[in-house]
Amino acid sequence: MVVRFIESCRLPTPFGVFDMHGFEEISTGQEHIALSLGDVADGEPVLARTHSECLTGDALYSMRCDCGYQLEEALRSIAIEGRGLLLYLRQEGRGIGLLNKIRAYNLQDQGADTVEANERLGFAADLRDYSMCLDMLSHLGIAKLRLMTNNPRKVDALRELGIEVVERVPLQVGRNPHNETYLDTKRSRMGHWFTTHQDDDPPLED
């Protein structure tokens, strides 16, 4: 077991009233949450997103990334569906932390792309870990996901944990002049799929 369940409560938002579930990593004490709406334990595939914390994008309205836009669109899509789940994982800056993300941003200001910036700081391009998702989903009684993501690594990581991803739902929002290079790097160097490039978006295989 990677995380243990702590407590649940109601969370009213502009998108609807969600149930918020708190979890704690057993080895580190790191905290993660899940937001659920409707009956997600009925055995049917659940519209879901695993969203890694981005303080600058999620809370400070940064336009350097698409994180805040994706968070809002995911919650909006779940509300429209009337049923779904968002796992909010506390792994800032693709796992390098907030202060190192600021250092990486400084390198990007000098011309590095997001991958180069991480590598110059001694990190891999993406250090995120999704192992806690299995325990969180198991606690909520969820076995199958319709996953909102553009990231093939995320699909593969969840499947390697034994989580059944039955559909990938594109989540391409928030492109602007400040994050065009960031998004292009996601596609060209990290293999992200985008709806404007259908040829790069192979169907998921069972």
Side-chain angles (χ1 to χ4, degrees):
M1 181 177 288
V2 177
V3 298
R4 56 172 167 254
F5 169 71
I6 301 300
E7 189 57 272
S8 297
C9 68
R10 302 284 276 174
L11 183 72
T13 78
F15 308 99
V17 181
F18 289 78
D19 291 313
M20 182 165 65
H21 315 276
F23 298 85
E24 182 183 56
E25 284 190 39
I26 294 171
S27 62
T28 66
Q30 182 64 278
E31 299 164 343
H32 308 282
I33 63 170
L35 298 181
S36 65
L37 182 69
D39 184 3
V40 294
D42 60 3
E44 294 299 315
V46 175
L47 181 66
R49 173 163 176 77
T50 64
H51 187 92
S52 295
E53 179 181 41
C54 175
L55 177 69
T56 50
D58 297 342
L60 300 179
Y61 308 103
S62 170
M63 298 175 69
R64 298 187 67 134
C65 63
D66 57 347
C67 302
Y69 301 100
Q70 288 187 317
L71 176 61
E72 289 193 14
E73 184 62 22
L75 292 173
R76 184 179 295 109
S77 297
I78 290 168
I80 290 171
E81 182 119 338
R83 174 179 176 271
L85 176 77
L86 185 135
L87 300 182
Y88 195 87
L89 310 177
R90 306 292 302 282
Q91 36 192 5
E92 178 77 46
R94 293 201 185 112
I96 68 174
L98 180 59
L99 297 183
N100 281 322
K101 184 167 81 168
I102 293 172
R103 293 186 177 101
Y105 277 170
N106 177 262
L107 291 173
Q108 290 169 43
D109 289 340
Q110 299 174 50
D113 66 28
T114 52
V115 173
E116 292 167 346
N118 273 27
E119 290 174 345
R120 289 184 192 178
L121 292 172
F123 301 111
D126 192 341
L127 291 174
R128 287 175 294 183
D129 173 22
Y130 298 100
S131 59
M132 71 288 290
C133 296
L134 182 60
D135 291 336
M136 297 170 78
L137 293 171
S138 296
H139 175 81
L140 297 169
I142 298 171
K144 300 177 181 180
L145 302 181
R146 296 169 50 226
L147 189 66
M148 291 183 277
T149 186
N150 304 316
N151 184 354
R153 178 183 177 270
K154 191 178 294 186
V155 174
D156 292 341
L158 295 181
R159 285 184 160 178
E160 288 172 4
L161 290 169
I163 298 165
E164 189 172 353
V165 180
V166 301
E167 180 185 358
R168 186 191 74 84
V169 179
L171 193 62
Q172 185 180 359
V173 290
R175 190 178 186 94
N176 66 74
H178 301 282
N179 66 17
E180 285 181 341
T181 299
Y182 166 83
L183 295 177
D184 290 344
T185 300
K186 274 187 172 183
R187 178 176 182 265
S188 65
R189 300 202 60 184
M190 304 182 75
H192 285 216
W193 299 316
F194 289 99
T195 56
T196 53
H197 299 283
Q198 293 294 339
D199 55 318
D200 293 343
D201 188 1
L204 294 181
E205 297 177 357
D206 293 332

